[in-house]
Amino acid sequence: MTSQLAVSWEVLEIIWINILLSGDNAILIALACRGLPVKQRRWGVFFGALGGVVLRVIFTLLVVQMMGIPYLKAVGSLLLLLVAVKLLIDETEHSDVKAKPNLMGAVISIIMADAVMSLDNVLAIAAAARGSTWLIVFGLALSVPIVMFGAGFLLKVLERFPALVWAGAGLLGWVAGEMAAGDQALLERLHGVDHATLEHSLAIGGAALVLVVAFAVQVWRQWREDQEDEEKREG
């Protein structure tokens, strides 16, 4: 029963992480397909999203195979912490994504952009799956219809309830800590440290670090904006 709960939690982790990190991908799909006729638009969304997910599965499986390289998990965990912080403070604009006039152009544009943008998804899903190939494939496959058909709704929900985004970023930080604790080369350096204790400590520390850094950045940005507004009023 315990193992079943663990597997269920890992699947939910993969789905939730993929939904959170696929917001940009969902916007990209919508913008690339907005110039197509209505009938072709649905096929553009379908084939573009499907091709992107297939590439993501391949990339994730390659990353999992590389995770045995010494200290690579530790480096990956640091990158994942940056991804988590970026999720909370990113202000990326998507106005530069051009609408494509034909179905094939839209699909190719979506797949190529998705391949470039998928590093964060690949790292996070590889960490959450803990090396399990079927978890990677199952979790991503299950999240495909959610992202494809519910992207607009999901984005509205996340905008209305920003606490969900903060919780998701904290989850990424937690997963990053677990990934670092699973680095065998790092464990060998820390002689006598219990693995379970290290894993829990790094997981809690990763989640806390993400939330504290993102909060500090937002406070600093708000202070800077207030200072600029005050200077304009005085000027």
Side-chain angles (χ1 to χ4, degrees):
M1 186 67 179
T2 305
S3 62
Q4 290 179 342
L5 287 174
V7 171
S8 300
W9 171 246
E10 289 169 0
V11 171
L12 288 174
E13 274 186 337
I14 292 173
I15 295 172
W16 180 232
I17 287 170
N18 196 44
I19 289 172
L20 276 175
L21 297 180
S22 292
D24 285 345
N25 306 61
I27 294 171
L28 173 92
I29 290 171
L31 291 176
C33 294
R34 71 186 186 275
L36 297 176
V38 177
K39 292 183 179 180
Q40 290 188 4
R41 199 174 300 166
R42 294 177 181 176
W43 288 111
V45 171
F46 176 76
F47 286 119
L50 183 63
V53 169
V54 169
L55 275 181
R56 205 172 305 165
V57 170
I58 294 171
F59 291 162
T60 308
L61 293 177
L62 289 174
V63 168
V64 168
Q65 295 300 315
M66 295 170 61
M67 283 299 180
I69 298 175
Y71 300 110
L72 189 61
K73 284 186 177 180
V75 173
S77 68
L78 293 177
L79 292 175
L80 199 52
L81 287 173
L82 292 175
V83 168
V85 173
K86 182 176 178 289
L87 180 67
L88 295 175
I89 67 174
D90 191 30
E91 297 178 345
T92 303
E93 297 292 336
H94 299 85
S95 57
D96 58 339
V97 179
K98 297 180 179 179
K100 300 299 177 180
N102 58 76
L103 178 60
M104 185 59 67
V107 171
I108 292 175
S109 174
I110 292 168
I111 292 175
M112 291 183 66
D114 193 84
V116 174
M117 295 165 59
S118 290
L119 176 61
D120 52 1
N121 302 66
V122 167
L123 278 174
I125 292 167
R130 295 170 179 82
S132 172
T133 300
W134 84 265
L135 268 179
I136 293 169
V137 176
F138 179 73
L140 281 173
L142 198 58
S143 62
V144 170
I146 299 174
V147 173
M148 280 174 50
F149 303 114
F153 172 74
L154 288 169
L155 289 174
K156 289 179 181 178
V157 170
L158 293 177
E159 286 176 3
R160 186 170 181 181
F161 302 103
L164 293 176
V165 181
W166 282 81
L171 173 61
L172 283 174
W174 182 282
V175 170
E178 290 182 332
M179 176 191 278
D183 193 311
Q184 193 60 39
L186 185 62
L187 286 174
E188 291 174 359
R189 287 274 184 178
L190 302 172
H191 299 292
V193 178
D194 179 65
H195 177 261
T197 303
L198 179 65
E199 184 177 55
H200 289 135
S201 300
L202 290 178
I204 294 171
L209 180 63
V210 166
L211 298 178
V212 169
V213 170
F215 180 75
V217 170
Q218 292 200 354
V219 169
W220 177 75
R221 281 181 173 175
Q222 186 61 51
W223 175 82
R224 189 179 64 178
E225 289 176 5
D226 292 341
Q227 289 292 108
E228 291 175 353
D229 291 340
E230 187 174 342
E231 289 175 2
K232 288 180 181 178
R233 285 196 298 269
E234 292 177 354

